[in-house]
Amino acid sequence: MTRSRNLGALFNWGTEELVLIGTFAALIKIMTLMVSLLGGGMNPITLLLKNILATAMLVVLLHKIPRVGVLALYVLQQGIVVMMLLGSGMILLPGYLIAAVIAETFAFLIGGYRKTYAILLSVAVYDFASRSVSMGISWLYSRENLPMFFAALGIIAVGYLGCLLGLGAGVKFVKEFRNAGFIRH
């Protein structure tokens, strides 16, 4: 009986939670797009800034809704936003879903999203796994031209550095959102 109740809690989402996940997915995509446009395209500084913002806001989302399944729903919502904006970004959605499931499993194994360190570690695992998927797809497309692959590897490495910096920024954002009353636990 308890097990079925726990599984029911996994699939029983409130409207406020779903709207908040969708809002954060759209907000993160719009913020990163604005940083890219204002930064003059894809250069290392812009890449760092957009990954810092995206990771920090994802940390805030997981503090606001500390439940298993948030990352997977975030990825699905992000996929919808990317499909509406770009159309071609859907090829990465299955890989990002796999990355989200890996991160959710990791978070479950270390005790869930109860502590800040667990949230930070699961976001770091999600970012690493999603970047690994991107590199796998890059390798499939550019395996005949290895210098192109290594250029993509450098870009992904700069982006992941931004994600790691975003974890610290996310902790600062969470403190400010707690002071403002947006995050209550």
Side-chain angles (χ1 to χ4, degrees):
M1 178 108 176
T2 312
R3 178 178 241 174
S4 65
R5 219 181 276 155
N6 289 340
L7 286 176
L10 179 66
F11 297 109
N12 189 13
W13 291 87
T15 306
E16 180 183 347
E17 294 169 329
L18 293 174
V19 167
L20 198 60
I21 293 169
T23 303
F24 266 78
L27 179 68
I28 289 170
K29 185 50 74 180
I30 290 169
M31 284 176 21
T32 57
L33 185 62
M34 291 303 294
V35 167
S36 295
L37 292 173
L38 293 174
M42 292 306 295
N43 56 54
I45 294 171
T46 304
L47 191 61
L48 276 173
L49 284 175
K50 69 180 234 141
N51 282 297
I52 288 170
L53 278 173
T55 303
M57 292 307 290
L58 191 56
V59 169
V60 169
L61 174 64
L62 287 173
H63 271 89
K64 179 67 177 166
I65 308 173
R67 288 183 58 176
V68 174
V70 171
L71 273 177
L73 286 174
Y74 164 77
V75 167
L76 287 172
Q77 290 287 336
Q78 191 82 349
I80 292 169
V81 172
V82 167
M83 184 180 66
M84 289 190 301
L85 287 175
L86 304 172
S88 63
M90 293 303 292
I91 192 165
L92 294 175
L93 183 62
Y96 284 165
L97 274 174
I98 292 169
V101 168
I102 290 170
E104 295 277 6
T105 304
F106 180 76
F108 178 75
L109 292 175
I110 61 173
Y113 295 125
R114 293 186 193 132
K115 302 285 184 187
T116 299
Y117 77 88
I119 290 173
L120 295 178
L121 286 174
S122 64
V123 170
V125 166
Y126 167 72
D127 283 333
F128 182 78
S130 64
R131 304 264 187 278
S132 298
V133 166
S134 295
M135 285 313 302
I137 291 173
S138 294
W139 182 80
L140 286 175
Y141 283 115
S142 63
R143 61 181 174 240
E144 289 87 16
N145 190 354
L146 285 181
M148 236 174 118
F149 175 75
F150 289 123
L153 183 64
I155 292 168
I156 295 291
V158 170
Y160 190 66
L161 176 64
C163 292
L164 293 177
L165 294 172
L167 294 173
V171 170
K172 292 195 183 294
F173 281 10
V174 167
K175 286 180 185 176
E176 291 301 319
F177 279 123
R178 277 193 179 128
N179 289 336
F182 181 69
I183 298 173
R184 292 192 173 92
H185 42 79

